[in-house]
C-alpha cells in the first residue's frame, strides 16, 4: 500500500470545467457537494483505503521562528495557503493507478447546477523514506 495526498485547491490549479465559485452556489448545491464528499470517504473507509481528510477554514496565519527569546513572527509577503488549499484527503492504495482513479472520481463532485465540477486535484505521494542530502539538492 502507498499513501497519497489529494489536495483540493481554491486557486492555483487549472480551471475546472464547472468553474463557478462555491460562494455562488445555492445551499442545496453545497449540501449535494458535501454529501458526495462524505459518501466518497465512507466508501474508502469500507475498502480500507481512507486514512483521513479535512476541509479547511479560510482563515489562517503564517508563523516563523525569529530567534531565541523572541516571539514568533506572524504573516508575511507570501502566497497564502488559506487562499489556495480548500481541503485534503489522505488515501492508502495498492498502486498509483488506483490513486489516479480515486482522484478522478473525487473530481466529479457536484457543483453549481448539480453538475460535476471536474476540478483539478493535486495528487502527491508520501515519501517512503526520509529524504537524503542528495534529494534535497535535487529539489526534493
Amino acid at each position: 500500500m502507498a499513501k497519497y495526498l489529494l489536495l483540493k485547491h481554491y486557486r492555483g490549479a487549472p480551471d475546472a470545467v464547472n468553474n463557478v465559485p462555491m460562494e455562488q452556489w445555492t445551499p442545496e448545491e453545497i449540501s449535494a457537494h458535501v454529501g458526495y464528499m462524505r459518501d466518497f470517504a465512507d466508501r474508502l473507509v469500507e475498502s480500507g483505503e481512507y486514512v483521513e481528510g479535512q476541509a479547511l477554514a479560510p482563515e489562517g496565519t503564517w508563523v516563523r521562528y525569529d530567534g531565541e527569546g523572541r516571539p514568533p513572527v506572524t504573516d508575511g509577503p507570501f502566497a497564502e495557503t488559506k487562499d489556495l488549499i480548500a481541503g485534503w484527503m489522505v488515501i492508502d492504495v495498492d498502486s498509483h493507478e488506483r490513486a489516479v482513479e480515486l482522484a478522478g472520481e473525487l473530481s466529479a463532485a457536484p457543483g453549481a447546477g448539480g453538475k460535476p465540477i471536474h476540478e483539478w486535484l493535486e495528487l502527491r505521494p508520501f515519501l517512503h523514506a526520509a529524504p537524503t542530502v542528495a534529494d534535497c539538492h535535487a529539489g526534493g
Side-chain angles (χ1 to χ4, degrees):
M1 300 285 276
K3 288 184 180 162
Y4 287 85
L5 176 66
L6 296 169
L7 283 174
K8 290 179 64 71
H9 292 267
Y10 285 120
R11 288 193 297 273
D15 285 343
V17 173
N18 185 358
N19 198 26
V20 178
M22 188 178 257
E23 58 267 9
Q24 295 176 19
W25 296 1
T26 67
E28 295 78 17
E29 291 166 344
I30 292 171
S31 291
H33 180 79
V34 170
Y36 183 98
M37 301 288 289
R38 191 172 292 124
D39 292 346
F40 180 82
D42 288 346
R43 284 190 298 110
L44 295 185
V45 167
E46 289 175 20
S47 70
E49 295 172 307
Y50 182 84
V51 177
E52 65 180 304
Q54 292 291 323
L56 299 174
E59 60 274 347
T61 304
W62 282 91
V63 177
R64 181 191 79 202
Y65 175 74
D66 200 33
E68 188 65 38
R70 299 176 67 170
V73 174
T74 59
D75 230 338
F78 312 109
E80 302 218 27
T81 306
K82 66 186 179 193
D83 292 336
L84 301 175
I85 299 175
W88 52 270
M89 181 180 288
V90 177
I91 57 175
D92 195 359
V93 295
D94 288 329
S95 66
H96 177 76
E97 292 76 18
R98 176 65 175 155
V100 168
E101 176 186 342
L102 292 174
E105 187 177 335
L106 187 57
S107 167
K115 296 179 180 159
I117 299 172
H118 296 284
E119 67 182 321
W120 290 90
L121 298 172
E122 186 176 352
L123 178 64
R124 307 251 331 250
F126 280 34
L127 283 173
H128 295 294
T132 66
V133 173
D135 291 332
C136 294
H137 291 294

